[in-house]
Amino acid sequence: MGTIRNNDTNMISITDVEFCRGSSESPNEMPVSRVILSAFLIDRYPVTNKAFKAFIKAGGYSNQRFWIPQGWEYIKANKINMPLYWDDPKWNAPDHPVTGVSWWEASAFACFKGKSLPSEAQWECAARGVDERRYPWGNAPADATRANFAVECEPDALLRASTPVDRYADGVSPYGCLDMAGNVGEWCIDNASADYSWDLTRQDPLYLTEVEEEHILRGGSGLHSDDYLRCSSRDYYPPGVRDNIVGFRCVIAISDGN
């Protein structure tokens, strides 16, 4: 395994990696298996409101070439031209993760940047590394110093808000990715699956059915308990969901040696 930071300080390069995917804690995280991934770059942070603003200012919501056809139809039918919480001060600070974005919007932004959404295998690898840790920071229990999540003493959930993507330095993953647990969950490119029984090769796994079907969301959110913060935890939602529990980060496939 090797980790090489590329010239973009906001992306981290993960190369020559084989990691242990899944866990025995939930049927949908089984079977546990070794997975091999080709080299890729992944965003150090979730996409922020500041970064997403560039997409809006560049006419991202009016340029069809960034959009999957079904996504283009979705935003036109629903007259969408910005994230759902774009004007809400609890969620719209420049250094907070953009939220209230559908899978369609996340995919369009990724295209705009010349990137893609991560496979859930890429996401899990970036979160847990190769030592089978429970959380991005290791096996220590989740607490309020490591992530924005629903701790037991959490006040009314309606009072919750997002936090800066670099706030929880103690929650960093072994590769250097931040905010992979809590705050907002992160869209993956994969469609939802009941478990990993479909994966017969265990090399660059990607589960795709119909783009309109549910997609995987990883990492939990400020509304979720610590169980959802586990690196192997899986959730899923329809692609049109625009809740304040959803955000995303992007990846780029790279060649070995780059």
Side-chain angles (χ1 to χ4, degrees):
M1 179 203 59
T3 305
I4 305 169
R5 286 166 174 76
N6 71 324
N7 292 331
D8 181 350
T9 58
N10 288 321
M11 298 197 83
I12 292 173
S13 192
I14 300 177
T15 63
D16 305 320
V17 64
E18 180 178 339
F19 81 107
C20 185
R21 177 192 61 191
S23 81
S24 59
E25 297 190 45
S26 173
N28 79 343
E29 297 169 24
M30 299 175 66
V32 178
S33 57
R34 306 295 300 180
V35 169
I36 297 171
L37 294 178
S38 300
F40 64 99
L41 303 172
I42 187 164
D43 288 343
R44 184 184 300 273
Y45 308 105
V47 172
T48 62
N49 289 306
K50 179 181 179 180
F52 201 87
K53 185 177 182 178
F55 173 70
I56 296 175
K57 291 184 69 175
Y61 279 96
S62 58
N63 192 330
Q64 188 173 356
R65 73 184 184 91
F66 299 132
W67 296 82
I68 295 170
Q70 297 91 331
W72 183 250
E73 292 175 8
Y74 173 83
I75 65 163
K76 291 305 173 186
N78 292 281
K79 299 180 179 179
I80 293 170
N81 59 14
M82 65 179 66
L84 184 58
Y85 297 91
W86 196 245
D87 294 323
D88 189 330
K90 290 196 301 184
W91 310 99
N92 69 359
D95 60 347
H96 289 216
V98 65
T99 191
V101 286
S102 64
W103 187 89
W104 309 116
E105 291 161 276
S107 179
F109 175 90
C111 180
F112 167 72
K113 296 292 289 185
K115 304 179 181 182
S116 70
L117 297 179
S119 69
E120 64 168 327
Q122 289 172 327
W123 192 98
E124 184 171 334
C125 175
R128 78 187 312 184
V130 298
D131 59 5
E132 302 181 37
R133 59 183 56 198
R134 182 177 174 84
Y135 303 104
W137 56 83
N139 296 315
D143 62 38
T145 70
R146 293 186 171 95
N148 173 0
F149 72 108
V151 295
E152 290 183 2
C153 61
E154 182 84 5
D156 189 331
L158 294 177
L159 300 178
R160 70 190 182 89
S162 59
T163 46
V165 296
D166 60 355
R167 174 171 175 174
Y168 296 99
D170 289 344
V172 67
S173 84
Y175 289 108
C177 295
L178 284 96
D179 224 30
M180 298 197 83
N183 212 5
V184 297
E186 300 181 13
W187 286 117
C188 293
I189 197 168
D190 303 66
N191 289 108
S193 59
D195 54 33
Y196 295 122
S197 59
W198 55 268
D199 183 13
L200 303 180
T201 67
R202 293 175 173 79
Q203 183 158 2
D204 294 321
L206 183 62
Y207 186 77
L208 300 176
T209 53
E210 298 294 332
V211 71
E212 299 95 340
E213 295 180 354
E214 293 169 323
H215 288 267
I216 292 289
L217 195 75
R218 289 293 201 121
S221 75
L223 188 62
H224 287 110
S225 69
D226 61 340
D227 186 58
Y228 286 84
L229 272 56
R230 294 181 298 107
C231 297
S232 58
S233 180
R234 311 171 73 209
D235 206 353
Y236 51 89
Y237 292 93
V241 164
R242 306 180 79 228
D243 205 329
N244 56 37
I245 63 170
V246 298
F248 65 102
R249 75 180 72 210
C250 302
V251 300
I252 301 175
I254 59 174
S255 301
D256 291 341
N258 287 358

